[in-house]
Amino acid sequence: MCKKSLVKLSAALFMGVLLFSCSGGVVEVVDKSFSEELPGSYKMSVNSSLYTSTDAELNASLTPLNDSLSALMDSYVANFTQNMKFLKDSVASESSIIGELLVKDTVFSATPELVSVRYTVYEYTGGAHGNTTNIAFNYSPKEQKFLAKEELFTADKAVVDSLLQSNFNNADSVYYAQPTLNEASVNIAGEEALFVYDRYVLGPYSAGEVEIRLPLESLK
């Protein structure tokens, strides 16, 4: 067996800072990126953020969020590298499977009232294609807790479902299901609520993912 060398491409903390101001304090979004490659085996690119504030009380309230997101990123990396090791060590995968893990976060809101972030995770460990998953996190620094999507607006679920379906574009009937709140990843961006449905949720892989935007005013 040829000796494989581990190449760490980058592990950068504090690469950039975004400031979100709001009455009661300012939340700083600090970019955290980590990339790693094992030639002939896999490559990873993990982008995530930490949330801080110069206001001591607000900064302390962000700690549970940072701890949870850091643990999540660690679990993605650990599970992926374990899966790739299993594949490379198994007799069936002596072929050249090059695994890939891509994690990207999109911050829609970062204020003392709400941190709303979406993680888009792409993972390939063999097969026809990889899988992409979107995961939404909505965190209230004031309450120091993660909010369920039903807590983001006051409209009843039946009203939300009706609005989603009336704003759903199913041209040529490529999707076989109707969107509902249950299957959606939900984030808040300004005056809009963003509902995302992964591939396979509403239709075949080839149909792609679906995003529906609704004004928050309509969800009150």
Side-chain angles (χ1 to χ4, degrees), residues 177-194:
Q178 289 290 315
T180 68
L181 179 60
N182 288 345
E183 298 86 7
S185 295
V186 186
N187 288 105
I188 302 299
E191 298 301 316
E192 290 185 313
L194 280 55

Side-chain angles (χ1 to χ4, degrees), residues 97-132:
I97 295 178
I98 307 297
E100 189 170 13
L101 175 66
L102 303 175
V103 181
K104 181 182 183 301
D105 70 333
T106 303
V107 182
F108 296 105
S109 173
T111 73
E113 284 71 35
L114 178 68
V115 175
S116 185
V117 57
R118 177 194 298 163
Y119 279 87
T120 302
V121 183
Y122 171 82
E123 186 171 5
Y124 176 75
T125 54
H129 54 71
N131 290 312
T132 300

Side-chain angles (χ1 to χ4, degrees), residues 133-152:
T133 304
N134 291 286
I135 307 170
F137 293 97
N138 296 283
Y139 179 80
S140 169
K142 284 188 173 181
E143 300 178 76
Q144 295 190 40
K145 73 167 191 174
F146 289 92
L147 302 174
K149 52 191 171 185
E150 294 81 4
E151 298 178 89
L152 298 174

